[in-house]
Amino acid sequence: MNLPHESSRPFPPTRLSVISLARSEDAATRRRAHESIIAAYWKPVYTYLRLRWRAEPADAEDLAQGFFADAIDSTLFDRYDPTRARFRTYLRTCVDGFVANARKAAGRQKRGGDVLHVPLDFTTAEGEVRTLEIPSPEDPDRLFRDAWVRRLFELALEDTRAQCEADGKGAHFRIFERYDLEPRDADTRLTYDDLAREFELPVTQVTNFLALARRRFRTAVLDHVRALTTDDDEFRAEVRDLLGEGFGD
Amino acid sequence: MDPLSNATVRHLQALVELPDTSGTRYDVVEPIARGGMGIVYRAHDRELNRDVALKVLSVRETGDEVRARLLTEAHILAHLEHPGIVPVHDVGVLADGRTYYAMKLVRGSSLADYARAHPERGELLRVFGRVCEAVAFAHARGIVHRDLKPENIMVGAYGEVLVMDWGVAKLLGSANGSPQAPGTVAPGGAPVTASGTVVGTPGFMPPEQERGDSTCVDARSDVFALGRLLEVLVGADGSPAPGRLRAIVARATASDPASRYPDADSLAADVTRFSTGQAVSAYRESWWERGRRLALRHRVAITLVSAYVLMRVLIFLVNRF
């Protein structure tokens, strides 16, 4: 499966809130907003269904697709009230309600596949559920938050790569990838000198390239959070959670 | 792209918050404190080859008001050149758009930790006096701290005392946000934060500050916090505080601002009078208490005179018989 590529991403990273745009009068704007929300949340929802609700992979796929299709049909995004909860919390609570209802209804129909324009790569998502150290499902908030953090970083990395390649700064991203994205222990950690030799660049240029890519990544992360929140208070609270300690514990 | 491992996600979390100091003279070493709006890092100044403290807005603080508050804090510190107030070296905007300022790196412990390690009342009253001097200096320049508490006071390795964290300080009688020329503290004025925003720390905030009534906040609001601070310090050794000291605390922490000391200087003067055995303005003594205090204050002289008189009497008696 493939994650949605930058060029096909419904909205570019922007400071506009897609949560607010999901209530737009304009159907095309509303649809693109829905797709942006789904692009950010489908994987956390799938992970949550697999681990919290212990759904089998095929069931989790059906439930995730059904949930988002139902969310669009039932104007679930419109009904979100920012004064009552953060959007992420609201969405997780809605998933709980949806699954509880779906399990009550016998022989429910698979639905919604033709509504979504965001490719949902459940095979990769399932691979992650099986291979990554994902925390115990005893704390649903923590489980959903961790899956959301991982997804936001994935989206931001895709944005950063696409932006660097579009600007002819592919080397900037590759240095960032080598230095910051490849997990290494202290003994095997790359140095700026290693990268300078590998990319045949002066060390000062390596640090400059790295700084630019990191800056773009930081901006992309914050833009995604901004897009997925409705006001400054929710933005600050979500960034606090995003950067909070205890990931994967 | 391969799935991000937990270690990589944790690394990226740290990376997002890490200040981008490219283009500046500073290398970030480590975070040393987190506040409401920013993080303080130990950083190395390459040009002067020394460590400094770098206060940087958190990435979540993107609003103009918070940015203005950090800048105002830097400007306030720059105007308060006093041994009890940490000096600012530099202010600017990082490549990632975040506002920062660099200041002297204070090595020492917070007053909360210091009081636990040195609970002797005399020493803590000395420290309190230094705090009052710094706060009084700020009051004389039209600035109210509004968040005085043990965690915001540092005691250095050589006993120096520094009042830190002026992030919610209020400029009195200034509409444009710049510190006033030296003068007396005027009531009211433009707050640094949005009017009505409750700033400060519960337990150290006076009632007018808890209500969010910024127009009533003035030097006497800091006097209240200083009174709470004094209360904590005099209780550090676990022994009951003398009545005169309790009276000073009571006057400083009165609910009605009009009943408090008018400024930090007056409070400090009363504490000094207590420390030197003089009568304090906050406490009306009985004749007995006055006599006992005077006896204690002049005990050396009284002892010497008594010894002299006793010796003369003995000499007289020996000569007589």
Side-chain angles (χ1 to χ4, degrees):
Chain A
M1 80 162 186
N2 294 312
L3 289 172
H5 192 266
E6 288 314 297
S7 55
S8 65
R9 183 83 36 76
F11 275 112
T14 169
R15 287 185 177 271
L16 282 177
S17 165
V18 292
I19 312 298
S20 303
L21 292 175
R23 298 175 192 146
S24 167
E25 294 291 314
D26 178 57
T29 304
R30 204 166 53 241
R31 183 178 56 76
R32 289 201 301 155
H34 290 159
E35 289 171 3
S36 285
I37 294 170
I38 293 165
Y41 278 106
W42 74 265
K43 206 188 271 190
V45 166
Y46 178 80
T47 306
Y48 184 73
L49 290 167
R50 285 282 288 116
L51 297 175
R52 175 66 180 168
W53 284 92
R54 302 183 192 286
E56 290 300 314
D59 285 344
E61 272 184 42
D62 278 356
L63 285 167
Q65 294 200 58
F67 169 73
F68 285 116
D70 197 62
I72 293 168
D73 291 347
S74 65
T75 63
L76 179 141
F77 298 138
D78 289 12
R79 285 183 275 119
Y80 167 60
D81 178 359
T83 62
R84 298 183 64 180
R86 291 190 226 170
F87 182 76
R88 177 162 53 90
T89 308
Y90 170 73
L91 198 71
R92 187 184 62 73
T93 311
C94 291
V95 169
D96 288 338
F98 178 82
V99 178
N101 289 335
R103 288 194 168 175
K104 276 184 206 163
R108 59 183 296 281
Q109 230 180 340
K110 188 174 178 179
R111 53 185 299 196
D114 59 342
V115 178
L116 306 179
H117 297 262
V118 182
L120 308 184
D121 185 353
F122 288 111
T123 309
T124 299
E126 178 57 23
E128 289 179 18
V129 168
R130 287 173 187 275
T131 57
L132 291 174
E133 308 154 46
I134 291 178
S136 153
E138 306 313 316
D139 182 347
D141 278 332
R142 171 52 67 90
L143 174 66
F144 197 61
R145 173 261 186 180
D146 283 4
W148 168 77
V149 171
R150 196 189 306 276
R151 179 62 182 154
L152 271 185
F153 283 167
E154 284 174 1
L155 291 172
L157 287 169
E158 289 293 336
D159 288 345
T160 308
R161 175 162 57 190
Q163 195 186 1
C164 286
E165 284 171 0
D167 292 353
K169 297 184 190 306
H172 296 62
F173 186 81
R174 285 194 296 281
I175 287 174
F176 171 57
E177 199 170 33
R178 294 278 285 139
Y179 194 75
D180 284 319
L181 302 185
E182 294 177 7
R184 293 171 187 275
D185 55 35
D187 296 336
T188 59
R189 186 160 177 77
L190 290 173
T191 64
Y192 296 145
D193 287 330
D194 294 334
L195 290 170
R197 277 192 295 276
E198 181 181 334
F199 287 84
E200 297 178 345
L201 293 168
V203 171
T204 50
Q205 211 162 344
V206 166
T207 56
N208 287 341
F209 281 20
L210 189 60
L212 181 135
R214 284 175 163 186
R215 201 178 308 144
R216 287 187 172 185
F217 170 70
R218 183 182 298 110
T219 304
V221 168
L222 298 176
D223 278 345
H224 274 289
V225 181
R226 175 67 75 188
L228 292 166
T229 51
T230 52
D231 57 29
D232 282 349
D233 286 344
E234 191 183 7
F235 171 79
R236 279 197 289 270
E238 289 292 66
V239 174
R240 196 178 298 121
D241 266 12
L242 175 77
L243 305 182
E245 292 177 358
F247 182 89
D249 292 344
Chain B
M1 184 177 290
D2 291 335
L4 301 173
S5 69
N6 287 359
T8 304
V9 171
R10 283 193 284 266
H11 175 70
L12 292 176
Q13 283 179 306
L15 203 61
V16 171
E17 190 68 273
L18 194 69
D20 181 355
T21 53
S22 54
T24 72
R25 57 204 273 183
Y26 307 108
D27 294 324
V28 168
V29 179
E30 60 181 346
I32 51 177
R34 286 175 189 275
M37 63 177 170
I39 301 173
V40 181
Y41 295 88
R42 183 160 71 88
H44 186 71
D45 179 343
R46 290 188 305 278
E47 288 188 21
L48 293 173
N49 191 27
R50 64 176 178 180
D51 281 355
V52 297
L54 215 59
K55 186 166 185 176
V56 185
L57 277 186
S58 165
V59 288
R60 66 173 183 265
E61 301 297 351
T62 55
D64 290 340
E65 187 191 329
V66 181
R67 197 174 300 125
R69 265 171 59 191
L70 191 82
L71 284 174
T72 303
E73 181 180 10
H75 291 153
I76 283 173
L77 288 172
H79 279 75
L80 295 178
E81 287 185 63
H82 186 274
I85 297 171
V86 64
V88 167
H89 302 319
D90 186 15
V91 66
V93 178
L94 297 176
D96 60 24
R98 281 185 278 172
T99 305
Y100 76 95
Y101 69 82
M103 59 186 153
K104 178 185 173 183
L105 179 68
V106 180
R107 291 181 171 86
S109 51
S110 76
L111 184 51
D113 292 337
Y114 188 79
R116 275 190 286 274
H118 302 87
E120 308 85 35
R121 186 169 291 154
E123 168 59 8
L124 293 180
L125 289 180
R126 178 197 73 81
V127 171
F128 182 76
R130 298 290 85 77
V131 174
C132 286
E133 283 174 10
V135 174
F137 182 81
H139 287 175
R141 277 145 186 80
I143 293 162
V144 184
H145 186 286
R146 294 204 293 182
D147 196 19
L148 294 166
K149 57 183 175 181
E151 291 77 12
N152 283 346
I153 290 153
M154 294 286 290
V155 184
Y158 300 100
E160 68 272 30
V161 178
L162 289 133
V163 179
M164 314 288 290
D165 204 344
W166 295 74
V168 295
K170 178 183 174 185
L171 309 173
L172 297 167
S174 165
N176 61 6
S178 58
Q180 285 182 300
T184 53
V185 176
V192 172
T193 57
S195 181
T197 302
V198 177
V199 293
T201 302
F204 290 87
M205 265 193 290
E208 66 272 18
Q209 204 170 317
E210 280 187 348
R211 288 195 303 271
D213 187 355
S214 62
T215 57
C216 291
V217 170
D218 60 20
R220 293 168 300 182
S221 306
D222 277 351
V223 168
F224 182 97
L226 287 169
R228 286 279 190 237
L229 187 63
L230 181 61
E231 191 175 16
V232 170
L233 296 181
V234 299
D237 66 356
S239 66
R244 290 183 301 140
L245 208 44
R246 289 202 305 273
I248 292 174
V249 170
R251 184 175 172 194
T253 57
S255 297
D256 179 7
S259 301
R260 295 177 206 149
Y261 294 96
D263 50 45
D265 258 344
S266 315
L267 169 59
D270 237 7
V271 172
T272 303
R273 281 193 285 271
F274 168 82
S275 298
T276 53
Q278 300 175 62
V280 301
S281 69
Y283 188 73
R284 185 186 292 272
E285 296 174 319
S286 65
W287 281 104
W288 165 246
E289 288 171 322
R290 183 183 168 87
R292 202 173 61 158
R293 176 177 58 75
L294 287 172
L296 269 174
R297 183 183 177 195
H298 301 294
R299 60 186 179 278
V300 174
I302 291 170
T303 304
L304 288 173
V305 169
S306 301
Y308 175 76
V309 169
L310 185 63
M311 188 180 70
R312 293 299 304 228
V313 169
L314 285 172
I315 291 169
F316 173 78
L317 291 174
V318 166
N319 288 338
R320 174 126 187 150
F321 301 104

